[in-house]
């Protein structure tokens, strides 16, 4: 049982191939960038493509640039390893650089792309957590339309995204306003690598000059069907100094969530540890914020 | 339907005709007789299939050979082609970093990629570089020592 493989030379050509697939056959046409998701599913016989379209080398999906308004534009086919090593990403989105540098394993990071990680519809994609906390958006192209979606709208449910059958995700945009946020990423793992954390939280805090939190972003994942923002925790942190009892009680609001149960941990265990992981991430982000303000003339 | 691809494998250009659903791992082992890379977990979780793609480690079990035309692949069989590879081989043997040997090709290549990029990594850097390679036998201590020794041999 084999399939055809085609590597279009341009984005327009790739989109035309998606258009030409008959609607009922579109389910059997699979895009492949790094291949770490698709080939794994192939080997586990979870998918049976008729056509695989290689988009990992499309020039329109590459590139990393800072736009005039400070937005970091990341080509969807940029690998996690390239993001982890990029000076621009370390400067403009250090939370993303950190998370991309510790996702899965060095071998996976060499091939896996940021766009692919988002389109896989996996609850276990760590980079999605970082991007949620950074207010990222995605650009989607079909041959007739361009769409820009906030990341939260792309991530529909486990195994599902809002990506249409005739669309390709072309770029990820991180707003310039996210660049100065105090951040932390905290995961609870049984192993240092390969296995995704059982629970992970990404926090990004915008602090004003007297140390009050103006904007809080708290993203939780690995334990939920899709990565989510914890709005009640965010509201409890905003408007005050992020420290001590305020953070402890904010983290305690991370309850009542729909949680995954799998071979690695039960939903009950995850429910018990989530507030602690969220609190650790908040505390470390707040400490990073204080460290940034001390000794740096801005 | 078979597709013609061209790869550089351990410094040599090879031309192959492969079905699109074949992984690089399978092509290396079955078509080129390079059995150093192992097919262990089949899901990219163990690293026994590790080879270098343009100098960077990948899970060859998770790549389709057809998608790699024009790229440069290094397997453990190509390790002895340069001084760094030979230093790693010597160090692994001298430090007792090999027991059953199943994970060894992958570990050697992950180490080679690290030392080519960073001449004197600290222990944390070494452990991060081999974090995608599972070893059931050694407990990693002698593997780390061997990589440190090889890096020291290279920098003296």
């Amino acid at each position: 049982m084999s399939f055809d493989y085609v590597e279009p030379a341009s984005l327009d050509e790739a989109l035309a191939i998606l258009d030409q697939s008959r609607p009922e056959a579109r389910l059997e046409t699979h895009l492949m960038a790094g291949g770490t998701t698709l080939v794994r599913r192939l080997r586990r016989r979870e998918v049976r493509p008729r056509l695989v379209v290689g988009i990992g080398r499309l020039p329109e999906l590459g590139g990393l640039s800072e736009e005039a308004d400070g937005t970091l534009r990341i080509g969807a086919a940029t690998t996690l390893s390239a993001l982890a090593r990029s000076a621009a990403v370390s400067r403009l989105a250090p939370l993303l650089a950190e998370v991309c540098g510790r996702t899965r394993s060095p071998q996976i990071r060499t091939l896996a792309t940021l766009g692919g990680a988002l389109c896989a519809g996996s609850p276990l994609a760590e980079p999605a957590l970082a991007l949620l906390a950074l207010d990222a958006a995605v650009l989607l192209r079909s041959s007739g339309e361009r769409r820009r979606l906030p990341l939260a709208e792309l991530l529909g449910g486990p195994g599902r995204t809002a990506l249409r059958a005739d669309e390709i995700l072309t770029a990820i945009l991180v707003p310039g306003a996210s660049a100065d946020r105090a951040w932390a990423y905290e995961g609870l793992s049984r192993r240092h690598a390969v296995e995704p954390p059982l629970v992970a939280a990404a926090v990004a805090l915008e602090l004003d000059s007297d140390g009050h939190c103006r904007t809080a972003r708290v993203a939780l994942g690995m334990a939920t069907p899709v990565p989510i923002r914890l709005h009640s925790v965010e509201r409890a942190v905003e408007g005050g100094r992020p420290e001590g009892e305020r953070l402890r009680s904010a983290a305690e609001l991370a309850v009542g969530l729909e949680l995954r149960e799998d071979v690695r941990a039960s939903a009950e265990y995850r429910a018990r540890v989530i507030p602690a992981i969220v609190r650790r991430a908040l505390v470390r982000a707040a400490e990073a914020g204080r460290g940034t303000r001390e000794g740096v003339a801005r | 339907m078979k597709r013609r691809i061209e790869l550089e494998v351990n410094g040599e250009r090879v031309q192959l005709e492969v079905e699109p659903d074949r992984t690089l791992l399978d092509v290396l082992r079955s078509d080129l007789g390079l059995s150093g890379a192992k097919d262990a977990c089949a899901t990219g979780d163990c690293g026994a299939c590790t080879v270098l793609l343009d100098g960077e480690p990948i899970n060859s079990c998770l790549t389709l050979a057809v998608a790699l035309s024009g790229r440069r692949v290094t397997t453990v069989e190509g390790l002895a082609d340069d001084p760094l590879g030979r230093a790693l081989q010597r160090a692994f043997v001298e430090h007792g970093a090999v027991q059953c040997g199943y994970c060894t090709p992958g570990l050697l290549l992950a180490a080679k990629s690290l030392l080519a990029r960073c001449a004197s990594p600290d222990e944390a850097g070494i452990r991060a570089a081999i974090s995608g390679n599972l070893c059931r036998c050694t407990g990693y201590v002698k593997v780390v020592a061997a990589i440190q020794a090889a890096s020291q041999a290279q920098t003296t």
Side-chain angles (χ1 to χ4, degrees):
Chain A
M1 173 230 81
S2 189
F3 45 79
D4 283 334
Y5 174 77
V6 63
E7 212 170 290
S10 72
L11 179 61
D12 285 338
E13 208 181 301
L15 293 171
I17 290 169
L18 294 182
D19 287 339
Q20 281 155 25
S21 304
R22 294 163 297 131
E24 62 275 18
R26 279 190 191 155
L27 290 176
E28 299 168 323
T29 298
H30 287 256
L31 300 171
M32 184 175 83
T36 52
T37 301
L38 180 64
V39 182
R40 189 172 192 272
R41 288 178 180 168
L42 277 171
R43 304 208 69 196
R44 292 162 61 93
R45 303 189 196 286
E46 290 167 2
V47 289
R48 287 180 134 67
R50 290 263 210 91
L51 175 66
V52 170
V53 183
I55 58 172
R57 301 198 255 199
L58 284 179
E60 298 92 331
L61 301 189
L64 204 70
S65 57
E66 185 182 356
E67 309 202 314
D69 63 357
T71 298
L72 175 64
R73 184 185 204 281
I74 302 171
T78 308
T79 64
L80 301 187
S81 147
L83 289 168
R85 293 175 184 172
S86 157
V89 178
S90 293
R91 184 170 47 89
L92 295 169
L95 169 58
L96 181 64
E98 160 89 5
V99 173
C100 287
R102 50 189 277 182
T103 294
R104 303 299 311 288
S105 70
Q107 290 87 334
I108 297 282
R109 296 193 287 269
T110 302
L111 293 170
T113 64
L114 191 61
L118 299 179
C119 292
S122 168
L124 304 177
E126 289 179 80
L129 275 188
L131 290 172
L132 266 189
L134 296 173
D135 291 326
V138 294
L139 294 182
L140 309 174
R141 282 279 319 271
S142 60
S143 46
E145 198 183 342
R146 277 164 213 273
R147 296 201 289 159
R148 180 190 163 125
L149 288 186
L151 178 60
E153 280 183 39
L154 177 74
L155 306 171
R160 290 184 289 116
T161 65
L163 189 74
R164 295 179 190 144
D166 61 351
E167 278 180 326
I168 293 177
L169 191 157
T170 55
I172 296 95
L173 304 172
V174 180
S178 301
D180 288 333
R181 289 181 184 169
W183 60 271
Y185 183 71
E186 188 74 35
L188 179 67
S189 307
R190 298 182 305 174
R191 316 183 83 112
H192 290 298
V194 183
E195 193 179 75
L198 305 179
V199 171
V203 169
L205 306 176
E206 186 191 349
L207 304 174
D208 59 30
S209 51
D210 54 5
H212 282 66
C213 177
R214 184 180 304 151
T215 311
R217 296 285 182 263
V218 181
L220 183 77
M222 309 300 117
T224 48
V226 281
I228 56 173
R229 292 237 324 256
L230 299 178
H231 296 292
S232 53
V233 175
E234 292 171 353
R235 280 192 294 271
V237 174
E238 286 168 352
R241 294 180 146 275
E243 56 196 14
E245 187 51 39
R246 188 183 192 93
L247 294 185
R248 204 172 357 260
S249 43
E252 294 297 322
L253 296 173
V255 292
L257 304 168
E258 187 191 348
L259 296 175
R260 287 167 51 83
E261 177 124 342
D262 61 30
V263 292
R264 296 182 299 122
S266 64
E268 183 192 345
Y269 178 76
R270 286 170 157 141
R272 297 279 291 270
V273 299
I274 280 169
I277 298 301
V278 170
R279 184 177 49 77
R280 285 184 195 174
L282 287 169
V283 166
R284 280 186 37 233
E287 282 170 358
R290 284 190 286 275
T292 306
R293 286 183 306 107
E294 283 160 11
V296 176
R298 275 187 192 267
Chain B
M1 195 173 76
K2 289 195 181 188
R3 301 256 313 203
R4 180 165 303 142
I5 61 169
E6 190 174 291
L7 298 172
E8 184 189 303
V9 181
N10 298 330
E12 261 187 54
R13 296 256 296 275
V14 292
Q15 288 192 354
L16 298 158
E17 293 210 351
V18 296
E19 293 280 0
D21 63 350
R22 294 191 58 216
T23 62
L24 175 65
L25 176 64
D26 185 41
V27 168
L28 290 171
R29 291 178 57 85
S30 305
D31 295 9
L32 298 177
L34 299 169
S35 55
K38 309 298 184 208
D39 190 355
C41 74
T43 53
D45 293 310
C46 76
C49 69
T50 301
V51 299
L52 300 184
L53 183 68
D54 299 325
E56 296 290 332
I58 62 164
N59 293 318
S60 61
C61 75
L62 286 189
T63 51
L64 300 180
V66 282
L68 301 178
S69 199
R71 308 286 294 267
R72 183 168 55 92
V73 176
T74 311
T75 72
V76 69
E77 290 86 352
L79 210 58
D81 290 345
D82 69 43
L84 175 55
R86 292 194 290 274
L88 278 165
Q89 290 175 330
R90 263 196 306 276
F92 266 56
V93 169
E94 282 167 6
H95 284 75
V98 182
Q99 290 188 32
C100 80
Y102 210 74
C103 70
T104 305
L107 273 173
L108 284 166
L109 291 167
K112 176 167 197 242
S113 177
L114 169 69
L115 295 183
R117 198 174 1 106
C118 172
S120 295
D122 59 14
E123 184 178 332
I126 292 173
R127 286 184 177 271
I130 63 172
S131 63
N133 295 82
L134 295 188
C135 172
R136 193 63 185 82
C137 300
T138 66
Y140 305 100
V141 173
K142 293 182 179 183
V143 170
V144 171
I147 296 170
Q148 278 169 333
S151 86
Q152 276 151 25
Q154 285 298 104
T155 53
T156 45

